Amino acid sequence: MAAGPRIAIDAMGGDSGPSAMLAGAARARRRDASLQFLFFGDEKLIHAELQKHRNLSSWVTVAHTAESIAPNEKPSQAIRRARTTSMGMAINAVKEGKADAALAASIFHFREYSIAEPKLYLDRRGVPVRIPVPADPE
């Protein structure tokens, strides 16, 4: 089968971190066998979870990042460190052409961000987002 979309994922995001993110990728791959994934985060934790989803092994690339955004971290702090975190590196993978899309579930954890806000942020920085890009959500 031809290679399909490459999705960059912040593996450290969400309530369950790599466990939920790998399970979600495995489910997505069962629905669309062309998907490929780039996981960013703690490589030891990601590889441990990857052992539970062997069907993903050939379709996953893991990039170690020592930093991730903590659930209690203020958005202003997170944005300052974004380039060195699992979330920032996943987003940069899209900007650099290494991925076609990025997923970072943690940004919605405390409902401090709406889905419209990161779409607008990324669009203003030249990262392609699914249309329509909303007007300023403020």
Side-chain angles (χ1 to χ4, degrees):
M1 175 166 275
R6 297 163 298 164
I7 303 172
I9 298 176
D10 170 9
M12 308 312 291
D15 291 334
S16 303
S19 175
M21 301 313 261
L22 270 288
R27 183 176 181 187
R29 180 116 175 102
R30 284 191 298 272
R31 291 183 178 194
D32 183 346
S34 71
L35 294 176
Q36 301 174 67
F37 303 96
L38 292 85
F39 283 95
F40 293 86
D42 184 320
E43 65 185 336
K44 289 181 183 179
L45 295 175
I46 296 168
H47 282 296
E49 285 300 320
L50 193 54
Q51 293 300 312
K52 299 175 186 176
H53 304 282
R54 294 189 182 269
N55 65 318
L56 286 178
S57 297
S58 299
W59 307 101
V60 167
T61 301
V62 177
H64 180 72
T65 59
E67 296 183 62
S68 60
I69 296 173
N72 60 347
E73 193 166 353
K74 292 182 179 180
S76 58
Q77 294 170 329
I79 289 170
R80 282 189 214 112
R81 308 184 308 110
R83 289 187 179 144
T84 60
T85 64
S86 52
M87 181 193 305
M89 292 181 75
I91 291 169
N92 283 338
V94 176
K95 287 181 83 169
E96 296 167 0
K98 297 176 184 174
D100 301 303
L103 173 64
S106 60
I107 66 170
F108 307 112
H109 187 75
F110 289 109
R111 296 190 174 133
E112 292 186 32
Y113 288 103
S114 70
I115 291 172
E117 288 172 298
K119 286 178 76 171
L120 185 61
Y121 175 88
L122 293 169
D123 182 66
R124 287 180 176 167
R125 284 155 183 81
V127 177
V129 296
R130 194 168 27 161
I131 301 300
V133 174
D136 197 339
E138 305 284 295

